Amino acid sequence: MAATVAPAVTPTEPDPDRCGSEEESRGAEAEEDSTQQQTGPAAAAVSHGRLSKLPLARIKALMKTDPDVSLASQESVFIIAKATELFVEMIAKDSLVYAQQGKRKTLQRKDLDNAIEAIDEFAFLEGTLD
């Protein structure tokens, strides 16, 4: 009566239904629990604050300088801040190409001018730096 033991089978392909190790899933559950405890506008401000590199209070103050804007929700302020970050990143990267052509690492005004003139997406900025 010999008992045979089947060898442990380890999958060679990752299981698509499994999104990570058990430790990662426990960490994600703990993070969800901590975010579920915070509710309301304060929780939105905290979660948006980490995702935005620009000061949201300053963005909100700038938005309120427009006479057509009387109230600005935290979500709209965050979206404007994120869009601004992406725009600045895009124009900086495109300007960096012109700085590198001049064998420089520092962006100068002429690099911004060149990017604005050469790229159609920035046509609305022509004449704003004068």
Side-chain angles (χ1 to χ4, degrees):
M1 303 219 162
T4 57
V5 178
V9 177
T10 57
T12 56
E13 296 179 14
D15 186 3
D17 295 333
R18 191 169 172 202
C19 62
S21 69
E22 290 179 12
E23 291 176 7
E24 290 174 350
S25 63
R26 276 188 244 127
E29 289 172 4
E31 187 175 306
E32 286 179 11
D33 291 341
S34 66
T35 56
Q36 287 176 353
Q37 291 173 357
Q38 299 175 350
T39 57
V46 170
S47 66
H48 292 324
R50 284 186 244 139
L51 299 174
S52 177
K53 296 175 186 171
L54 297 175
L56 297 180
R58 178 80 47 97
I59 300 288
K60 188 171 188 172
L62 287 170
M63 288 172 65
K64 285 191 168 189
T65 61
D66 186 352
D68 294 335
V69 177
S70 59
L71 294 173
S73 68
Q74 279 299 111
E75 290 82 12
S76 65
V77 173
F78 173 73
I79 294 297
I80 295 293
K82 199 63 179 172
T84 304
E85 286 176 26
L86 294 173
F87 172 76
V88 169
E89 181 181 345
M90 184 172 66
I91 196 168
K93 283 182 179 179
D94 291 338
S95 299
L96 180 63
V97 171
Y98 293 100
Q100 289 174 339
Q101 287 175 355
K103 297 183 177 152
R104 291 177 282 109
K105 293 183 180 180
T106 304
L107 291 181
Q108 296 178 353
R109 181 185 167 147
K110 63 184 176 182
D111 301 321
L112 285 170
D113 288 335
N114 290 336
I116 289 170
E117 289 176 15
I119 299 171
D120 292 337
E121 294 172 340
F122 301 137
F124 71 97
L125 293 173
E126 289 182 6
T128 57
L129 295 178
D130 295 334

